[in-house]
Amino acid sequence: MDESGIRELQEIIDTSDNIVFFGGAGVSTESNIPDFRSVDGLYNQEYKYPPETILSHSFYMRNPEEFYRFYRNRMLFPEARPNGAHYKLAELEKAGKLKAVITQNIDNLHQMAGSKVVMELHGSVHRNICRKCGRVYGMEYVLGCKGIPVCECGGEIKPDVVLYEESLDDKVIRQSVNYIREADVLIIGGTSLVVYPAAGFVHYFKGRKLVLLNKSETSMDESADLVIRDPIGEVLSAIKVG
């Protein structure tokens, strides 16, 4: 564990009450949800189609049954629970230090840990919407169905997640950019910063301290005031609040 890095992070957090956290898949790996681009990640496993193809809008429209087979097997983790990173971020928010969590994850773990201000850039697997009547179903309903889940009205249900070829929600984009632009401290964690447009949001940060908590190098490392390579859950669990 990078003890000197954690001491520096503690000082940065102690001296700020306008912190924003921007996170990716690496935040949830300690909750046993695989990430995408690491050696054991989703994109380095073999399937009939590449995951990027299956998780695209055009593939969903063309072959929804195959999409849902992959989606249930590889994207839904009903047993997952928040880890130390999620709980510490919720604690920082409650203490008035953290203004928002901006996440690329779709697992709802930040909310489960108690965070209230969460910008879900890519949606959530816990919301699944009927394309005909708009009724919302939870993850359990989708898991309990065979084949393509269908609403009581007969309409096909689609996950409320942003697929490849789809646009992010304009309101979520505006809110996320505003939080980052106005932040005093931006902590980036568990993300390779290669998924756009989300990764581009961090360039709006003009604040005092930029912190990177990530196991691998990113394009922002040289711009950061502090870089820690240890597991993010362990790092944030070491931080004291109050």
Side-chain angles (χ1 to χ4, degrees):
M1 186 78 82
D2 184 353
E3 299 294 343
S4 64
I6 290 173
R7 285 194 297 272
E8 187 175 348
L9 177 59
Q10 181 74 64
E11 183 179 353
I12 290 171
I13 290 173
D14 287 344
T15 56
S16 180
D17 60 0
N18 186 5
I19 303 167
V20 169
F21 180 82
F22 180 94
V27 178
S28 295
T29 53
E30 290 167 80
S31 295
N32 296 317
I33 296 179
D35 64 8
F36 289 82
R37 290 175 172 79
S38 68
V39 174
D40 298 320
L42 193 63
Y43 288 176
N44 288 315
Q45 300 178 35
E46 293 186 3
Y47 301 98
K48 185 178 178 181
Y49 303 94
E52 299 98 319
T53 298
I54 300 174
L55 295 174
S56 68
H57 177 81
S58 56
F59 187 91
Y60 167 78
M61 297 299 292
R62 185 173 66 252
N63 196 347
E65 192 158 354
E66 180 67 16
F67 168 89
Y68 266 109
R69 189 178 71 82
F70 177 89
Y71 180 73
R72 287 191 186 94
N73 289 338
R74 300 299 180 183
M75 303 298 291
L76 302 182
F77 299 89
E79 305 302 321
R81 294 295 178 267
N83 62 53
H86 299 103
Y87 285 118
K88 187 62 64 173
L89 291 168
E91 188 180 352
L92 287 166
E93 181 189 44
K94 188 175 181 180
K97 289 188 154 299
L98 185 77
K99 299 306 180 186
V101 168
I102 301 168
T103 181
Q104 299 174 83
N105 296 339
I106 56 177
D107 52 38
N108 202 50
L109 293 184
H110 286 293
Q111 292 91 329
M112 289 173 64
S115 290
K116 305 298 182 186
V117 183
V118 181
M119 303 291 105
E120 295 177 319
L121 295 176
H122 297 151
S124 173
V125 296
H126 290 264
R127 294 188 305 271
N128 302 273
I129 302 173
C130 174
R131 297 175 60 202
K132 183 177 179 182
C133 73
R135 180 172 176 176
V136 180
Y137 290 85
M139 178 174 62
E140 294 76 14
Y141 183 84
V142 172
L143 282 169
C145 295
K146 292 184 178 180
I148 305 166
V150 176
C151 176
E152 291 182 0
C153 76
E156 186 177 305
I157 295 170
K158 181 182 181 294
D160 187 23
V161 298
V162 179
L163 302 177
Y164 288 100
E165 304 166 354
E166 295 180 342
S167 300
L168 304 188
D169 182 90
D170 285 341
K171 182 179 179 181
V172 175
I173 291 175
R174 288 195 302 272
Q175 290 176 324
S176 299
V177 168
N178 284 338
Y179 277 121
I180 291 172
R181 184 187 286 126
E182 295 172 6
D184 172 53
V185 173
L186 177 62
I187 301 175
I188 300 174
T191 173
S192 56
L193 293 176
V194 298
V195 178
Y196 282 80
F201 295 174
V202 302
H203 296 293
Y204 287 94
F205 177 66
K206 305 298 180 185
R208 181 173 58 92
K209 293 288 184 179
L210 174 64
V211 178
L212 273 172
L213 310 178
N214 204 55
K215 288 184 177 181
S216 58
E217 292 183 7
T218 76
S219 59
M220 295 292 289
D221 284 17
E222 292 185 4
S223 304
D225 297 284
L226 175 63
V227 177
I228 300 178
R229 296 276 182 236
D230 295 314
I232 187 170
E234 295 180 19
V235 171
L236 290 181
S237 292
I239 296 298
K240 295 178 174 56
V241 181

